[in-house]
Structures are given as C-alpha cells and as structure tokens.
Amino acid sequence: MDGSCGAGQVAAAAGQGSVGATNIGRLRCARQGKAAAVSRGVTAWHLRVFAVVVGVTGCLLLVSSLMMSAVHQVQFRNGAISRGFRGLQKELKQNSVRTEQAEQIMHPRLLEMATSVITKNEPDSDSGNFALWEEPYKQARKWKPCAAKHSLPGEGPEKNNNGFILISANGGLNQQRVAACNAVVVAALLNATLVLPRFLYSSVWKDTSQFGDIYQEDYFVNYMKSDVHIVKDLPPHLQSLDLEAIGSQVTDMDITKEATPSEFIKTVLPILRQNGVVHFLGFGNRLGFDSVPVHLQRLRCRCNFHALKFVPKIQKAGSLLVQRLRRAGAMQTEMDKQLFGSNMLDDPALAAGAGAPSRFLALHMRFEEDMVAYSLCEFGGGDEERKELQAYRETHFPTLAVRLRNTSVSPEQQRSLGRCPLTPEEAGLVLSALGYDRRTFIYVAGSQIYGGTARLRPLTRLYPNLVTKEDVLSSGELAPFKNFSSRLAALDFIACASADVFAVTDSGSQLSSLVSGYRVYHGRGRAPTLHPNRKRYAQILAEEGGIEWGGFQRRVKTMVDEYKRIAARPRGRSVYRQPRTPGCMCRARGDGSVDF
C-alpha cells in the first residue's frame, strides 16, 4: 500500500448503508491523501537537505585537505617544523646523504678538511684578510702603461702601400681579439691597408657576431690611423675576386705558428705585391713575440689595451654588472674608465646606498665540455664520462678523435704534466688554502660547467656566496646578448678585469691570459691575479692521502706566490698576458726617470 485512498475503501464505507459513512470514508481518504502528500514532501525535503549537507561537508573536507597540503608544503620548505626537531634531523640527514651521492668529488679528504677549516676560522671582519686582496709586491706599482704613445716619426703608414690585408679569425672572443691585434702588426710590417677583421662561425661557439657587434669600429679605425691605415671593406674591384683561386688565400698551414716577421716578408709579401690583396684564413697565433721589434710590439699593445673598446650596449650592461658585484654605485676607477668610457650607467638601486664598495673575487672556471674533452683527461665520472667525451670529440674534434684510435693517451700522465683543467672542487681547495673564508663573494666566469650542479656543488659547499652574470643581471638586461657567446664572454671579461682579485684555473685560456695582462697594464699595481701552476698542483694533489691541511696550505701558497713575483716579460711569453716589456710598459726608476 502506498497510503492513497483506494476504490475498495470507499466501497467498504458505502456498504455500511449510510451516506454519512460514505462521506466519512471520502473525508478519511482525502486526509490520508494529504498526509501522504505531506509525507512525500517532507521526505523529498529531507533528501535535499541531506544532499546539501553531504555536498557542503565534502567541499569542507576538500578545502581542509588542500589547506593541510599547503601547510605541509610550507612546513617542509621551512624545515618541517611541525614534524618536530627529531624528525627534522632525520630528514636533513637523509637529504645530506642524497646530496653526497649527487656530488662529483675527486678529493674527499682534502674537501672535508677545507670545509672544517674555513667554517671554524671565519674572522669578525675583513681586516685580518687585507693581504688576500692586495698585490703583495710594491714593485708592481713602478710599471706604467706606455703604449698609448703614437708611433715615432717616420713609423706611420706610407701613402703608397702594397695592398690590402684581410683576416678571417677563428675561435671565440678572445682568440679573435688576439688575431685582430696581430693583424694590425702584420699590416704595418707589410705596409698594407688592413680591412676590419672578420670572425668565422664556429660549431663550438655558435656565434654569428662580427667585429662591429662587439667592438667600436670607428674608435678602432681612428685610434690606429697614425700607425696603420684601416678600412671597413675591400674596394669593389677586389670584392669580386676568388682569392683562393688567384693564390691570395693564406691558411694556418702556410705560416709557422708564432712565425717571425721575416717569414711574413718572405712568404706573404710577394703574394701581396702581385695580387694586391692577401686573405689570412684562421690566423691563430701566427705571429711570434720575441722577434718582433719594439715599434711593432707597441702596436700590439696599442691595439689590445687602448684601441679595442666594447660597443656601448656591452659597456652599459657591464657597468651594471660590476656595480652590483661591488654592491656600490658608479666609482669611475682607472679600470672603469678604460672599460666603460662615458657609458657607465648608475644603478638607481645602488646609487642611494652609502658605504664603501664590497670586495669580490672573479674565478674563471675553464671547465666547459669542449675544454674537458680536448684535454684527454679524466675527472672521476667513469665509463659514462669517457663515452660522453669521446662522442663530443667525434663531433667537434674529428682529427683528435681519429688520432686517439691509433694512439693511446694516458689520462694520469696528462694530469701529471699539468694539462688537465682544474675542476670547481680543485679551484675551491686553492682558495681555501690561501685563506679566503666562506663569506668571500665570488663571481664565476665561463660558459656551462661540464657536469652541471653536481660538479659545482663541492665549490658551493665551501663558498656559498657564488654568482654568475645570470644571477646578477635580469633576463631583460641579458636579452640582447642571448645566443651570442662572444658578447656574453665580453661581460665575463669586464667582470674579471674589474675584480679585486682574479683567480685563473687554466693557463692556456685566452680569456685568462688577456684579463691577466689587462689587469697588469691598467691595474696600477693594485690588481692581483692568482695563478696556480697546474703541474705542481697535480703533484700536491697526488699526495693527498698522506698530507695534512697545514702542509697542503703551505705548498699551495708557495706555488701561487711564485707567479706573483714582478719581472719583465720572460722570453717566449705572450705580450698580451705579460705586457711588462719594451714598447708596452715603462718602469720608473728611483730618480724619476723611466726605462723602456
């Protein structure tokens, strides 16, 4: 029964023989119908209320769950406070184990000792470490820049020259800078007009930048005009020539490495006179140092230290980079004037700040994949590392890869001979041994470190205040230089040249060489450079199993201090790295006179 008034009920009431009974029956049925309707309405209302309650409860539970999840994440980021100190200790210990496994460590014993020492020996101020930031030898201040002087009378370009010199320089920013200055000297030597250097595209650097994208063309031409005639392009009648077909193309195979001026006169001058143009293709380190006369050596230094100025866009970004590294506004030091000229910007966020600028150390980590692969060394990565580096050589250094198939090279011997670039870990150990504490602010120059974060982590464990240009400049400020490795390298050059201390990790690096020389030339004897001897350092590291921290520290300090000794450029050394040489720098005597 559903509670409704059925026909049988009415009939039963009628069968009692009473109209009243019949009416009563109908009334009863009507009441039952109303009651049933009310009952159905109440039931539906209850169901709706129940559904609403369930829905609201579900939403509350969902929101509560999300809030608990958010709180949990916040608590996790803040050290999992809600789990209690004991639980936090356990979690940190587990994370530490995972970090240790992720790190690529080659010298665990020394790294442990270094971490302990620099953590315990943090001084209250920088006063105790003053010597770490200063050039230790006062003789350095007696050397003054002299290449700004123009050539002596009769040494300028002749009106009737022998033709045009065109170079297409290979390599990256710094190799191309050296090639450009060597080209100035060769043009002067051969009494030729120099066409603005062209830069070859490299599969390693992948940069399409040309001379005018990096250096101020007009400034370069005008600064050198009293020494060498420079034009931006070949004249039209020479542009249409096939220089290789007419025998005017000279490759690196045709000229001895670090050749003497007489070789250029003998080999190149006849071609120049015959065809009116010579194209040097590659031009990597084709001109020597010791055999170049003083007046031509001066041209090298005039070009490198004075004539080559970065374009305003690079200067402005570089000035912001340096100010933020110093954490102070524009200062206009002598180095600033040379690097930025009138294009030094004021960072509004720093201009209002007071106080002396902070010191920073620039570390050039030459540990990119190309350097690591070319060195033929091993760095603790096992078979995976060997396969990866060999695949890189097959693609980028095919000649080297072919040679390796026919001859075997011992990575251990390469290391003992000082041919392996320092890892970030090894660089950090040098700084620790020299006494730089954990608070030292370090700018790391270079491209992508091979091995990434895992390879960098031992260094950041020692020195957490470590930044790159990507950390200091915004993405918008770096946007004009993105995908242009040479322009990014120019920012590294600026930061390293401006640093209070510059630390080198690879003596064969052109950036390290050029920056070191730039600091000697323009640093006024107050720009120290740390330069480990890789061969001696390898010997020290080979004994790490039996060496204590004190002994390690003494040997590293001795190794670095020996490079700091002040002397004129030794025979066979680069003028770009060591400009204390006749034609470049002058040495003041005690009586006020000047040598060179």
Coordinates of all heavy atoms in Angstrom, one line a residue, residues 23 138 159 165 239 289 303 309 343 383 424 448 460 552 560:
N23 N -19.6 9.6 3.2 CA -18.9 10.9 3.3 C -17.7 10.8 4.2 O -16.6 11.4 3.9 CB -19.8 12.0 3.8 CG -20.9 12.3 2.7 OD1 -20.7 12.0 1.5 ND2 -22.0 12.8 3.2
K138 N 105.3 45.7 -4.1 CA 105.2 47.1 -4.4 C 105.9 47.5 -5.7 O 105.5 48.5 -6.3 CB 105.8 48.0 -3.3 CG 105.0 47.9 -2.0 CD 105.5 48.8 -0.9 CE 104.7 48.7 0.4 NZ 105.2 49.6 1.4
K159 N 102.1 56.4 -47.8 CA 101.0 56.7 -48.7 C 100.8 55.6 -49.7 O 99.7 55.2 -50.1 CB 101.2 58.0 -49.3 CG 101.2 59.2 -48.3 CD 101.4 60.5 -49.0 CE 101.3 61.7 -48.0 NZ 101.5 63.0 -48.7
I165 N 95.2 43.7 -46.5 CA 95.3 42.6 -45.7 C 93.8 42.3 -45.1 O 93.2 43.2 -44.5 CB 96.2 42.7 -44.5 CG1 97.7 42.9 -45.0 CG2 96.1 41.5 -43.5 CD1 98.2 41.7 -45.6
Q239 N 86.5 42.9 -54.3 CA 85.5 42.1 -53.7 C 85.0 40.9 -54.6 O 84.6 39.9 -54.1 CB 84.3 43.0 -53.3 CG 84.6 43.9 -52.2 CD 83.4 44.8 -51.8 OE1 82.3 44.5 -52.2 NE2 83.6 45.9 -51.1
F289 N 106.5 36.5 -30.6 CA 106.7 37.6 -29.7 C 108.1 38.2 -29.7 O 108.3 39.4 -29.8 CB 106.2 37.2 -28.3 CG 104.7 36.9 -28.2 CD1 104.3 35.6 -28.2 CD2 103.8 38.0 -28.2 CE1 102.9 35.3 -28.2 CE2 102.4 37.7 -28.2 CZ 102.0 36.4 -28.2
C303 N 96.8 48.4 -29.7 CA 95.5 47.8 -30.2 C 94.8 47.1 -29.0 O 93.6 47.4 -28.8 CB 95.9 46.7 -31.3 SG 94.5 45.7 -31.8
K309 N 87.6 48.9 -27.9 CA 86.6 49.2 -26.9 C 85.3 48.5 -27.2 O 84.9 48.5 -28.4 CB 86.4 50.8 -26.9 CG 87.6 51.6 -26.6 CD 88.1 51.4 -25.2 CE 89.3 52.3 -24.9 NZ 89.9 52.1 -23.6
N343 N 80.1 55.4 -20.9 CA 78.9 54.6 -20.9 C 78.7 53.9 -19.6 O 78.1 52.8 -19.6 CB 78.9 53.6 -22.1 CG 78.8 54.3 -23.4 OD1 77.9 55.1 -23.6 ND2 79.7 54.1 -24.4
D383 N 83.0 5.2 -16.8 CA 82.8 4.9 -18.2 C 81.8 5.8 -18.9 O 81.9 6.1 -20.1 CB 82.2 3.4 -18.3 CG 83.3 2.4 -18.0 OD1 84.5 2.7 -18.2 OD2 82.9 1.3 -17.6
P424 N 85.9 22.6 -10.4 CA 85.5 23.6 -9.4 C 85.9 23.2 -8.0 O 86.3 24.1 -7.2 CB 83.9 23.6 -9.6 CG 83.7 23.2 -11.0 CD 84.8 22.2 -11.3
Q448 N 78.8 27.0 -19.7 CA 78.2 26.0 -18.9 C 79.3 25.0 -18.3 O 80.1 24.5 -19.1 CB 77.2 25.2 -19.7 CG 76.0 25.9 -20.2 CD 75.1 26.3 -19.0 OE1 75.0 25.5 -18.1 NE2 74.5 27.4 -19.1
T460 N 80.4 25.2 -4.1 CA 79.4 26.0 -3.4 C 79.3 25.5 -1.9 O 78.9 26.3 -1.1 CB 78.0 25.8 -4.0 OG1 77.7 24.5 -4.1 CG2 78.1 26.4 -5.4
F552 N 99.5 21.1 3.1 CA 98.8 21.4 1.8 C 98.7 22.9 1.6 O 99.0 23.5 0.6 CB 97.4 20.8 1.8 CG 96.6 21.1 0.6 CD1 96.8 20.5 -0.6 CD2 95.6 22.1 0.7 CE1 96.0 20.8 -1.7 CE2 94.8 22.4 -0.4 CZ 95.0 21.8 -1.7
V560 N 101.4 29.6 -5.6 CA 100.7 30.8 -6.1 C 101.6 32.1 -5.9 O 101.7 32.9 -6.8 CB 99.4 31.0 -5.3 CG1 98.7 32.4 -5.7 CG2 98.4 29.9 -5.7

